[in-house]
Amino acid sequence: MTRPSDLVALTPEGLYCPAGDFHIDPWRPTSTAIITHAHGDHARTGSQHYWGTKVGAPLLGERLPGMTLDTLDYGEVRRFGEARVSLHPAGHILGSAQVRIEVDGRVCVVSGDYKRDPDPTCAPFEVVPCDVFVTEATFALPVYRWPPMEAVVADVIAWWDACAARGVPAVLFCYALGKAQRLLAELARATDRTVHLHGAMLALVERYRELGVAMLPTVPVSDSARGRDFAGELILAPPSAAGSTWMRRFNNASTGFASGWMRIRGNRRRRGYDRGFVVSDHADWPSLIETIRATGAQRVLPTHGNTDALVPYLRELGLDAEPLRTDFGSED
Amino acid sequence: MRRFAELYAELDASTATSAKVEAMATYFAQVPAADAAWAVHVLTGRKLKRLIRSGELRTLAARASGYPEWLVEESYSHVGDLAETIDLLLDAPLEARDELSLSTWIEQRLAPLPSLDEAGRAVRLLAWWSELPHAQRFVLNKLMTGSLRVGVSQRLVVQALARVAGLDTALVAHRLTGDWTPTPAAFRALLDPAGQLAVDVDQPYPFFLASPLEHAVETLGERADWLAEWKWDGIRAQLLKRDGAARLWSRGEERLDGRFPEIEAAAAALPDGVAIDGEILAWRDGAPLPFTALQKRIGRLKPGAKSLADAPVVLLAYDLVEDAGIDIRTSSLQERRARLAQHLATLPAGADAAIQLSPALDGDDWQALARLREASRERGVEGLMLKRLASPYQVGRKRGDWWKWKVEPYTLDAVLIYAQAGHGRRANLFTDYTFAVWDGDALVPVAKAYSGLTDEEIGRLDRWIRAHTLERFGPVRSVEPHHVFELAFEAINASSRHKSGVAVRFPRILRWRTDLSIRDADSLDQLKTLAGG
C-alpha cells in the first residue's frame, strides 16, 4: 500500500496524485490525465483533459483522436493544485516522459516505461533525483540483459541477406509504435535499402519522419501489385499480423520477432518465429538497478512486470520497496 | 565444442525436420569420428553419467554471477531451463577462444568432474564459464544438466547418418539400437558401407510401433487379412536368447535383466538365436493384474519372494523377429507367428506359464471384433490390436499395417489446484497442472496432466495462474480453485502411494469446462466407483 508521503496512490481509475488532483496514465476515464507516452496501455481514451509532452503530441493524436490535449516541454514546470509537475525524457519512445511531482519539497518520480540503451529516435533518459521512485519492472530479472544494438543490427542484416540469398521474404514482427521506427533508424546506419511496411505502421512512421527522425526509406506493402514477389525484401509488421491472411502474400517467408522477450529460448520457440532478435524499449535488469540507485530514492515502488524478484532484491539493498499493482501491459 | 554449439544453434533455430537432418548430416560428415560419436550419443537422448548435482550448479551460478541464490532460483523458475539460466546470468567474455573438440570436452574435462571434490569442481566450472562465449557455454551447461531438448529424435539422427553413409535407415536404426557406446570405432561401424549388420550379441531390433486407428475399422478391408489381439497394458519388451543367455530390453531400450527372473528362467528353455517381441504384464489366473501391480515390479532390480508372489509376471509373446540366429523381419506376420507358436509349444511346464502366446481373437467379422472391444475394460485391456497378416516387421511408427484400436477413455471433471512451469518449448509458462476432485468438502489431487490445451488456452490460463496464485512452494504454485477441466484417462486403480487412494493412467486434458463451476466437479467416491467397476 502506498502512504501519503508517496505523493501518489492507487484508485480504481489508476495512479492518482491527491495533491495535484490528476491521474497518470489512467486505465479508466478521469477528469485530468497526464500521459507518459502513446502506447495503448498507457494512453487510454475517455478522460476529459489530457496532458503530455510537446514532442509526443502528434503520436498521442494518433491514439486519442479528438481529445483535449495540453502539452509541456521537457523540464517545463506547471502547477497542479499543491503539486509542481514537470515531464522528463524516459528514453522509451519518441516523446515518452517520466512525471516529476514535487509537493512541499518532497519529490516523487513516476517513470512510465523507460530504457537506458541509446535510441536514435528519442531523447535519452534523464536521471531525476527523487525521494520516491515509481519504476517499471517489465524485465526485472537478472537474465534480462540487452546485447549491444550494433550486434543486433548486424544479426538482422545477416538474416535479411540470407533470406535474399535463399530467395524468400524476411518478415520482421515488432511493436508498431517505437520499436518499428527504432529499427528503421538503426538499420539506416548499415544499409539504404527500402523496407516494406504493414498498414498499421504507416501513419506512425510518417509522424516520426515529420518529427525529424532519420529512417530507412519505406513503402507500404499495399502499394505493391497483387501477386508481387517479395523475395529478398524486408517487411515490418505488428505481431498481430502473424498467422493472419495478410501473411499469405509472402511465399515461404522467414519470420523474425524483435522484442526483449526473445532473450529466452522458450519464448522464441513457443512463438514459432524462425528468428528472435533481442531488442527492447524497456530497461534491462542492470539498467533498472543502476537507475534506481542513481535517483537516490529511498522509497521505490516497482510496478507492472516482475515485481516479485525486484522488490525483495531492493529490500536487500536496504531500500524501502513495495510493489504497486497497476494495469499496464508487458508488450515489447 | 564450437562446431557442436553451431550445430545446436542450427537445430534450435529451425522447425523443419528436413533442415535439421541436413544440418546433422553436414556435421557428421565434417567432424572427427570421436566427436561425431558423442554427438550421436547426446542427440539421441542418451545422457552423460551424472556429472554434478543441480543444487551445486545453482550455488556456483550464484557465486559466478554475484546474485543471491534465491534470485538465481527465481530466474530459473522464470526461464525453465537451468543451463540457459546460468548462461543468461553471466557476462560473455570479450574475446573467446575454444578450440577443444567435443570429445575432448566430454572425455577429459567433464568425465572427471564426479571424482573431484566440490572445490575442485568449482574452480573448473567458474573458469570454463568465464572463458566460453554464450553459445558454447549454454551447450556445456546442457551437457552437464542432462538432455539437450533440441527437437531432435533418434529417428532424425538415424536419417542424417543414413544420408551420410548412403545406407538404408532401417539398417542404421538397428545398428544404433540398444547399448550403443560412443567411440570412434562404433561411429565408423554405424556408417560401414559394407551393409553387413554386425549385430552385437546383446543388441535388440528396433521396435515396430502401431498407430491409433482413426477411421472406421471396415476401411481396413477383409477381416480375414488381419490378426486381432488384445491391446495389453503392460511394458513392451523384446526377449533375446543368444549364446545360451537371455536378454530383456524395454521399448525405451533399457536393459531389464534381473527384474523379471520368471521370464529369464523360462527363456532358458527356448532355442538359441531367437528374438521375441511381446508385452510384460503382471498376471494371475489367466488375467492381467492392474498396471500398478506391474509398476511395483519395474522398480525392483532384484525382486524378493514377496514381490514375486504378489505380482507374478508373464511375457505375452506376439511376434518373432529372429529365428535360428537369422533376422526374419521381412517374412510375413503369418509366417513369424507360426514359428513363434512352434517354439512356445515346445516350452516345458512352468516355462510355458511365464512365456505365453498373445492369443489371436476369433470374431469372424468386424462387428464381432467391435463387440469384443466393448468388453475390453472388464478384461483389463486397452482395446484391440489389428495387424495385417501379410505385413513385414518394420522399424518405428509406420502407418498401414499395425493399428491400435483402443476403447474410448474414461472422463472426469476436475479442479485445477496446482501449476508448475514447463520446460523446453513451454519454459516460463505454467503448463504442468495438478487436478483435484471433491472428497467431502476438501479437494484432493488425483491427476497431473501436461497436454491437451491449445497454445492460446495455455497463454490465457498462464496469465490467470499468475494473477491468482495463493502460495508458492518452490516452482509449484497453488491457485484459487476456480477452473474445471474435463480429463480423459485410460484406467483407474486403487493405490496406496497416492493421497487420494487412486491412481489414474495416462491422464490428459480433453477440454476446459468454462461452463462448470468447481461445485460441478466430480467426487472421489464417483472415481472409486469406476475403480471398483
Side-chain angles (χ1 to χ4, degrees), chain B residues 200-271:
Chain B
D200 184 275
V201 68
D202 289 327
Q203 202 161 30
Y205 291 85
F207 285 85
F208 183 20
L209 306 176
S211 308
L213 185 65
E214 280 154 357
H215 41 271
V217 70
E218 290 78 13
T219 59
L220 295 181
E222 291 296 316
R223 159 72 180 94
D225 293 340
W226 294 82
L227 166 72
E229 294 171 84
W230 295 118
K231 181 174 184 332
W232 304 107
D233 182 18
I235 312 170
R236 181 90 182 267
Q238 227 175 88
L239 174 64
L240 311 178
K241 173 78 185 296
R242 290 179 189 143
D243 292 354
R247 295 155 191 86
L248 204 52
W249 287 93
S250 77
R251 208 202 101 186
E253 293 174 22
E254 304 268 350
R255 282 290 279 270
L256 300 173
D257 303 20
R259 286 180 164 79
F260 304 108
E262 305 98 313
I263 298 172
E264 287 180 56
L270 286 170

Side-chain angles (χ1 to χ4, degrees), chain A residues 140-145 261 263-275 285-286 306 308-313 316, chain B residues 8 12-13 67-68 70-71 74-75 78-79 81 84-85 88-91 138 142 148-150 424-429 472:
Chain A
L141 275 173
V143 288
Y144 290 106
R145 298 136 60 94
W261 297 112
R263 172 86 168 156
I264 308 287
R265 182 171 166 251
N267 287 338
R268 290 200 296 272
R269 284 161 39 118
R270 185 164 60 242
R271 299 209 183 209
Y273 301 117
D274 297 314
R275 294 293 302 272
W285 172 268
N306 272 302
D308 284 357
L310 186 57
V311 167
Y313 187 77
E316 286 190 7
Chain B
Y8 189 97
D12 198 32
Y67 295 118
W70 68 263
L71 193 51
E74 192 81 21
S75 299
H78 178 77
V79 175
D81 180 322
E84 182 185 358
T85 305
L88 293 178
L89 286 174
L90 303 177
D91 287 317
F138 171 54
K142 279 295 213 187
L148 293 182
R149 291 180 190 276
V150 69
R425 206 174 78 87
R426 297 171 148 201
N428 79 53
L429 265 190
R472 307 171 70 163

Side-chain angles (χ1 to χ4, degrees), chain B residues 205-370:
Chain B
Y205 291 85
F207 285 85
F208 183 20
L209 306 176
S211 308
L213 185 65
E214 280 154 357
H215 41 271
V217 70
E218 290 78 13
T219 59
L220 295 181
E222 291 296 316
R223 159 72 180 94
D225 293 340
W226 294 82
L227 166 72
E229 294 171 84
W230 295 118
K231 181 174 184 332
W232 304 107
D233 182 18
I235 312 170
R236 181 90 182 267
Q238 227 175 88
L239 174 64
L240 311 178
K241 173 78 185 296
R242 290 179 189 143
D243 292 354
R247 295 155 191 86
L248 204 52
W249 287 93
S250 77
R251 208 202 101 186
E253 293 174 22
E254 304 268 350
R255 282 290 279 270
L256 300 173
D257 303 20
R259 286 180 164 79
F260 304 108
E262 305 98 313
I263 298 172
E264 287 180 56
L270 286 170
D272 232 33
V274 297
I276 292 173
D277 183 14
E279 190 103 354
I280 299 173
L281 292 151
W283 191 262
R284 175 168 289 139
D285 303 329
L289 294 170
F291 188 79
T292 44
L294 182 62
Q295 231 164 6
K296 289 180 189 157
R297 287 289 304 272
I298 299 170
R300 293 193 195 277
L301 267 176
K302 287 209 168 12
K306 179 170 186 315
S307 154
L308 288 172
D310 284 351
V313 299
V314 62
L315 177 71
L316 288 184
Y318 35 67
D319 213 321
L320 185 73
V321 290
E322 178 180 313
D323 195 18
I326 294 167
D327 178 355
I328 59 165
R329 289 177 295 170
T330 50
S331 54
S332 71
L333 173 62
Q334 192 155 22
E335 162 77 15
R336 301 194 310 270
R337 283 276 294 201
R339 294 212 210 178
L340 175 65
Q342 271 175 17
H343 287 310
L344 298 184
T346 63
L347 286 177
D352 66 354
I355 306 177
Q356 302 178 23
L357 187 66
S358 169
L361 301 180
D362 293 335
D364 291 337
D365 51 30
W366 296 123
Q367 286 74 23
L369 285 179

